[in-house]
C-alpha cells in the first residue's frame, strides 16, 4: 500500500484488490493492519471512494457481532456531502479529538457524529494495532449506514 501510494499506483492496485476472489483470512488480516497504519493518508490521496469501499469490503476480515454505537470526528464538508470516512470508534473522546483537531478543516470546521452501525456496515472490528493505539477503530462502509446524528459542531479555525 505504501509503495503504491508513493508511486501514484493506488487506482490500479485497488482495482485488482477489489476483484480478488475470496482472499484468505491471513491476507485480510494483513491488509487490515496496513489499513490501520496508512488508511488516513490513502483516503487523502485517493479520490475514488466507491472503489475504496469495494476494496475494504473485499479485503478486510469482516465482522459478525451485534450492531454498534459508533462515533466519528469528521470534516464539515464530508458531513455535508455524506462522504463520511470509514474509521469510526466506540470511544466518543477519540472522535471528539479528530473532530476538533485533524478533521477540523479551515473552510467548514469539524463535526462529531454518532450512529448505530448495523453489523452489515462494519467491515472490521479493532485489530491489535488499533487497540494498541487506543483508538478502537471500526472500519465502516457508509453505504450501509442508516441514521447519522451530529452531536457537536466545531467551527472553522483560522490557520
Amino acid at each position: 500500500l505504501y509503495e503504491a501510494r508513493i508511486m501514484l499506483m493506488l487506482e490500479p492496485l485497488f482495482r485488482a484488490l477489489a476483484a480478488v476472489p475470496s482472499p484468505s483470512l491471513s491476507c485480510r488480516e494483513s491488509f487490515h493492519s496496513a489499513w490501520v497504519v496508512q488508511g488516513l493518508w490513502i483516503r487523502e490521496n485517493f479520490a475514488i471512494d466507491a472503489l475504496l469501499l469495494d476494496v475494504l469490503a473485499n479485503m478486510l476480515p469482516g465482522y459478525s457481532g451485534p450492531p454498534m454505537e459508533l462515533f466519528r470526528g469528521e470534516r464539515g464538508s464530508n458531513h455535508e456531502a455524506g462522504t463520511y470516512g470509514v474509521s469510526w470508534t466506540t470511544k466518543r473522546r477519540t472522535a471528539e479529538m479528530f473532530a476538533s483537531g485533524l478533521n477540523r478543516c479551515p473552510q467548514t470546521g469539524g463535526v462529531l457524529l454518532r450512529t448505530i452501525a448495523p453489523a452489515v456496515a462494519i467491515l472490521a472490528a479493532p485489530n491489535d494495532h488499533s487497540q494498541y493505539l487506543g483508538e478502537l477503530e471500526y472500519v465502516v462502509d457508509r453505504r450501509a449506514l442508516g441514521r447519522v446524528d451530529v452531536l457537536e459542531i466545531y467551527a472553522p479555525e483560522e490557520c
Side-chain angles (χ1 to χ4, degrees), residues 125-138:
N127 67 2
D128 290 342
H129 188 69
S130 176
Q131 291 179 37
Y132 170 78
L133 294 174
E135 293 180 351
L136 300 181
E137 177 186 2
Y138 284 77

Side-chain angles (χ1 to χ4, degrees), residues 36-109:
V36 168
V37 174
Q38 300 181 54
L40 174 65
W41 314 119
I42 288 172
R43 187 160 190 245
E44 286 294 314
N45 294 295
F46 190 70
I48 306 174
D49 267 5
L51 178 57
L52 173 62
L53 292 169
D54 290 343
V55 168
L56 295 174
N58 193 40
M59 296 300 298
L60 289 177
Y63 175 78
S64 60
M68 297 290 299
E69 177 184 43
L70 298 175
F71 301 92
R72 177 165 172 80
E74 184 62 86
R75 293 178 178 179
S77 56
N78 285 347
H79 169 64
E80 291 167 6
T83 56
Y84 307 120
V86 299
S87 300
W88 294 69
T89 180
T90 54
K91 294 175 67 176
R92 180 179 172 143
R93 192 81 185 118
T94 298
E96 289 170 344
M97 176 188 66
F98 281 99
S100 65
L102 185 62
N103 285 339
R104 185 180 190 178
C105 66
Q107 297 80 18
T108 60

Side-chain angles (χ1 to χ4, degrees), residues 103-125:
N103 285 339
R104 185 180 190 178
C105 66
Q107 297 80 18
T108 60
V111 292
L112 175 63
L113 305 173
R114 176 194 172 272
T115 192
I116 303 296
V120 69
I122 301 172
L123 304 175

